[in-house]
Amino acid sequence: AQSVAQPEDQVNVAEGNPLTVKCTYSVSGNPYLFWYVQYPNRGLQFLLKYITGDNLVKGSYGFEAEFNKSQTSFHLKKPSALVSDSALYFCAVRDGGSQGNLIFGKGTKLSVKP
Amino acid sequence: DGGITQSPKYLFRKEGQNVTLSCEQNLNHDAMYWYRQDPGQGLRLIYYSQIVNDFQKGDIAEGYSVSREKKESFPLTVTSAQKNPTAFYLCASSPSAGDEETQYFGPGTRLLVL
């Protein structure tokens, strides 16, 4: 069975500091990994994905994520946080062979203070 | 403007009543999805459709039904068999199943039980 774990309900960061939002996964086949962001009153948006290739993937708004196969992790990172990054972040996974059936984590609320 | 519309924004259901949530897209996407979002549980897939007149159950399909008679429309019916329907419902679409990076999400419908 596929599953995603986001161990932190909330992450608090000062503006300008680096941020990390953690995600670990379990999938039977090749993992397709994703990060989405949900801004207040703006719906859910795709940030980035990992399918194959370089373990460090870059996405929208300066975010990046590092795929670690041995630790089954896909942590979201940004070198310098902005107040406008404050939102709800979701990690998602699917098996490469199961198109359409994304499994989402429970979400992590990121709060960036000035 | 192209996008996904969901109506209504808020919906109230009485005990034993079926209600239907509307989802319309004008993006010419083949695939459409319904997710349920509960606090602390992230998004869970209810149903998805890869093409007109075809749909598959997601992880929590019990108590829900869908139809896909037109490419642009994917209505979700919450039946009286769904014992805990209070949640935020998100509809999404993508050019085809597996195109997560081009998956558009609607603004959502909040369903409340009276």
Side-chain angles (χ1 to χ4, degrees), chain A residues 18-99:
Chain A
L19 70 87
T20 299
V21 182
K22 295 179 180 177
C23 172
T24 59
Y25 67 90
S26 173
V27 67
S28 55
N30 292 325
Y32 284 30
L33 295 153
F34 307 86
W35 276 100
Y36 291 83
V37 58
Q38 188 173 37
Y39 296 104
N41 303 314
R42 285 175 57 185
L44 207 66
Q45 299 176 33
F46 169 84
L47 265 183
L48 52 79
K49 71 173 182 180
Y50 171 85
I51 294 178
T52 188
D54 195 348
N55 289 345
L56 186 65
V57 293
K58 296 187 183 297
S60 306
Y61 312 121
F63 283 93
E64 57 190 27
E66 186 169 12
F67 170 65
N68 187 317
K69 187 174 182 178
S70 63
Q71 297 184 4
T72 60
S73 66
F74 190 57
H75 301 331
L76 181 70
K77 301 181 180 183
K78 187 173 183 181
S80 178
L82 300 172
V83 172
S84 58
D85 292 330
S86 299
L88 190 57
Y89 290 81
F90 291 96
C91 182
V93 67
R94 67 173 171 89
D95 183 290
S98 61
Q99 288 184 337

